[in-house]
């Protein structure tokens, strides 16, 4: 039962939630759209959790912090529409590789001059590993085009839902809505900041001139959801509310800009806009605080391995 809890928490930690019920709901949400993808996510989480435990990450395993990247690798294998046997192999290989990649990024972020900023590893292992896997399996991958709305009402509904479902590479309105429910079950604060990130990102995308029908695919919103949750409800919990809200808003807007830029490169976007936006803002805030004569440079940081 402990390992079941660890695994489900690993799925929920994709959204910074530490709750097995939320994890189960997220898997159910993905299964609505793609049952094989849900199974691959479960497999990826189990593999990374097990390998992480064997590699002496016992302190991270119970919180699900040694499982969410494996879950995302499984989501990628399902999203790429790989043949089932190859998808299983890719999931196992990728989820296993996420553990040493987590260690490499951790060493980078705990070395000078980055140590003081306490940058989280987060989904970097997933982005790096799946970037390589996507390059190797490019000829075998056949991802489906995202669904978009045809009218204003439908587009608005899809915009909200897809901004959450696309975090796990899923394209289904019911998947997104159930994920929102899962977030609020795990933490009302996480749910609210996720909605804030979604709102800001899609408004920015519209201001950039993207039509509502295109925005409804959710591709502008999913990284913003993550960065808003990260800054607003996870890593800056000791900061004032106004600081967290401003960080979430700026981070969401920045993630949209970075995502649009990466879309013009051969680099698979994945959650890089979220990561780059979060890291830049955390580095900038650390630089500001380290120059303050009245406050400690780490007062507002919450040490974490996510």
């Amino acid at each position: 039962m402990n390992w079941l809890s660890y695994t489900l928490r690993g799925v929920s930690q994709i959204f910074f939630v530490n709750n097995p019920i939320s994890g189960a709901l997220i898997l159910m949400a993905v299964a609505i759209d793609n049952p094989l993808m849900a199974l691959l996510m479960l497999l990826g989480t189990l593999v990374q959790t097990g390998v992480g435990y064997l590699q002496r990450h016992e302190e991270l395993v119970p919180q699900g912090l040694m499982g969410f990247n494996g879950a995302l690798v499984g989501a990628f294998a399902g999203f790429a529409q790989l043949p089932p046997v190859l998808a299983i192999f890719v999931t196992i290989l990728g989820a296993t590789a996420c553990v040493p990649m987590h260690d490499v990024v951790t060493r980078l972020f705990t070395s000078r001059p980055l140590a003081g900023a306490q940058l989280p590893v987060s989904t970097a292992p997933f982005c790096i590993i799946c970037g390589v896997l996507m390059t190797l399996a490019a000829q075998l991958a056949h991802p489906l085009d995202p669904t978009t709305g045809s009218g204003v009402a439908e587009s608005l509904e899809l915009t909200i839902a897809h901004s959450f479902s696309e975090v796990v590479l899923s394209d289904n309105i019911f998947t997104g809505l159930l994920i929102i429910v899962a977030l609020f079950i795990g933490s009302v604060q996480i749910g609210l900041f996720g909605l804030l990130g979604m709102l800001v990102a899609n408004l920015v995308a519209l201001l950039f001139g993207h039509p509502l029908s295109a925005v409804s695919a959710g591709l502008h919103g999913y990284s913003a959801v993550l960065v808003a949750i990260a800054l607003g409800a996870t890593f800056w919990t000791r900061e004032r509310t106004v600081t967290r809200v401003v960080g979430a808003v700026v981070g969401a807007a920045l993630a949209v800009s970075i995502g649009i830029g990466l879309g013009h490169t051969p680099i698979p976007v994945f959650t890089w806009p979220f990561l780059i936006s979060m890291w830049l803002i955390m580095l900038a805030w650390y630089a500001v605080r380290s120059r303050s004569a009245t406050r400690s440079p780490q007062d507002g940081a919450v040490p974490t391995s996510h």
Side-chain angles (χ1 to χ4, degrees):
M1 292 303 296
N2 283 342
W3 279 95
L4 176 61
S5 174
Y6 301 161
T7 302
L8 294 177
R9 290 176 194 273
V11 175
S12 70
Q13 284 285 7
I14 294 172
F15 293 89
F16 301 95
V17 175
N18 184 7
N19 188 301
I21 296 176
S22 296
L25 286 176
I26 292 169
L27 285 176
M28 289 173 56
V30 174
I32 291 173
D33 180 42
N34 187 330
L36 177 59
M37 180 186 286
L39 290 173
L40 292 170
M41 287 179 64
L42 182 61
L43 174 63
T45 313
L46 278 167
V47 170
Q48 191 195 1
T49 300
V51 174
Y53 183 82
L54 293 175
Q55 292 298 313
R56 301 188 181 281
H57 288 291
E58 297 96 334
E59 74 284 1
L60 301 180
V61 167
Q63 303 174 64
L65 294 176
M66 195 45 65
F68 63 93
N69 277 296
L72 288 172
V73 171
F76 161 75
F79 161 79
Q81 300 287 310
L82 298 173
V85 174
L86 180 59
I88 293 171
F89 174 76
V90 165
T91 299
I92 295 173
L93 176 65
T96 300
C98 281
V99 177
M101 186 57 65
H102 178 279
D103 296 337
V104 170
V105 179
T106 298
R107 283 196 293 271
L108 173 65
F109 286 168
T110 53
S111 61
R112 292 186 178 184
L114 297 176
Q118 297 190 359
L119 300 180
V121 173
S122 199
T123 58
F126 153 68
C127 288
I128 296 169
I129 297 300
C130 283
V132 174
L133 292 174
M134 191 166 187
T135 301
L136 295 175
Q139 300 302 317
L140 299 173
H142 302 286
L144 301 176
D145 293 329
T147 304
T148 57
S150 57
V152 174
E154 182 185 14
S155 294
L156 288 174
E157 292 172 354
L158 291 178
T159 297
I160 296 171
H162 285 169
S163 294
F164 289 85
S165 68
E166 286 292 349
V167 173
V168 290
L169 302 170
S170 182
D171 180 56
N172 185 289
I173 185 171
F174 298 107
T175 298
L177 295 177
L178 188 52
I179 287 175
I180 294 173
V181 172
L183 299 194
F184 274 94
I185 289 175
S187 166
V188 172
Q189 186 171 233
I190 284 176
L192 290 175
F193 271 102
L195 290 175
L196 174 63
M198 176 276 300
L199 178 63
V200 170
N202 290 302
L203 286 176
V204 170
L206 291 172
L207 290 174
F208 279 169
H210 296 274
L212 180 59
S213 58
V215 171
S216 68
L219 300 181
H220 296 295
Y222 70 91
S223 276
V225 165
L226 291 177
V227 74
I229 293 172
L231 297 178
T234 306
F235 301 122
W236 283 4
T237 54
R238 296 180 188 172
E239 295 290 354
R240 294 180 300 171
T241 300
V242 64
T243 301
R244 293 155 57 198
V245 171
V246 170
V249 170
V250 173
L254 182 58
V256 176
S257 303
I258 294 171
I260 292 173
L262 286 176
H264 296 289
T265 72
I267 301 172
V269 177
F270 294 134
T271 56
W272 281 119
F274 148 62
L275 290 170
I276 296 171
S277 174
M278 175 181 65
W279 290 338
L280 287 176
I281 291 176
M282 293 183 76
L283 283 169
W285 187 237
Y286 170 68
V288 170
R289 292 180 67 85
S290 65
R291 287 169 174 76
S292 172
T294 59
R295 299 179 66 184
S296 169
Q298 296 189 31
D299 276 350
V302 178
T304 178
S305 297
H306 202 308

